[in-house]
Amino acid sequence: MAQGLQCWDAQGRVAVDLTDYNLRFMGSITVTLGPTETSKNVAFSGATQSGTVVVITSASLRNPNEYFCRAYNGGFNAFLMHGSTGGLSNTLTIEVYNFE
């Protein structure tokens, strides 16, 4: 059965359209951002800038929705969106998918 994912921005434009792709689970990784870190580069074999989706599934202290990830060739960046750590470390559980 065909599956997919579509997301729209606030103006109603399609921002993500994965309805014509197959997602393949690459793995899961735990990343800890220290008390002063608002971003971290994480090496992940097989990740590509144009063919990888990185999903934060949980966070130890903060809401995982306060973070986002962006893939690059050979890994991804994890970012805290508002830039203030509150002086606390946080551990994120992240899943990596490739799409074809």
Side-chain angles (χ1 to χ4, degrees), residues 31-85:
V31 176
T32 300
L33 279 80
T36 60
E37 291 181 297
T38 57
S39 66
K40 184 171 264 189
N41 295 337
V42 180
F44 198 94
S45 180
T48 64
Q49 183 173 345
S50 61
T52 298
V53 176
V54 184
V55 179
I56 301 168
T57 59
S58 68
S60 62
L61 295 176
R62 294 183 175 276
N63 184 332
N65 294 331
E66 294 182 51
Y67 296 86
F68 75 96
C69 292
R70 183 175 178 129
Y72 59 83
N73 293 333
F76 61 89
N77 309 99
F79 298 94
L80 175 61
M81 284 192 273
H82 53 72
S84 173
T85 66

